[in-house]
Structures are given as C-alpha cells and as structure tokens.
Amino acid sequence: GKWIVSGSEDGKVVLWDLQTREIVQVLEGHKDTVLGIATHPTENIVASSAMEKDLTIRLWFDTETPSNGGVKT
C-alpha cells in the first residue's frame, strides 16, 4: 500500500495508510516537535528531525522486511 509520513508537536513520527487514512505505526524517539521528514526513494527508510530541545536527525529503518521484525532507530 501507499503511506504518508508526518511529524508531530509531541515528538512523534506517524505513518498513515493513504487508502484507509488510519495510523499504521507511531515512532517515538524525539524530545521536541518533529519538523522535518524525508523518505528514501527506493528503501523503507525515513529520516526525521526535531526542534531546539532535541536537535537530532533520526533514521528509521524497516527491519521487518528481511528477517528481524519492527522498526529500528
């Protein structure tokens, strides 16, 4: 399916199903508002960045595809 990824004021990254408009997964790890989101064009990787209290960039990998299960930061 097709997904949309958004950042939120509570420091979370949210993956949405475009067809059903339901939340697929919530990624937690930032300590401030998530302002920047970017996706890799061919791999299941999301980059997110947060504001002043955090000042980090996180890479979220889909580890479920080959074998592990879950999303890893």
Side-chain angles (χ1 to χ4, degrees):
K2 295 188 179 190
W3 297 355
I4 291 178
V5 184
S6 66
S8 65
E9 290 183 351
D10 62 1
K12 296 176 183 170
V13 176
V14 183
L15 282 73
W16 302 82
D17 184 302
L18 183 59
Q19 302 300 321
T20 64
R21 299 180 181 175
E22 294 180 358
I23 293 174
V24 175
Q25 188 168 9
V26 177
L27 307 174
E28 298 183 34
H30 286 291
K31 296 179 176 125
D32 204 348
T33 302
V34 176
L35 287 180
I37 296 286
T39 58
H40 191 280
T42 59
E43 301 293 327
N44 291 331
I45 301 172
V46 174
S48 60
S49 62
M51 286 182 63
E52 300 165 2
K53 295 176 190 168
D54 194 323
L55 296 177
T56 62
I57 297 172
R58 291 187 177 267
L59 296 177
W60 307 87
F61 298 88
D62 179 6
T63 59
E64 200 170 293
T65 303
S67 61
N68 304 26
V71 174
K72 187 176 184 177
T73 61

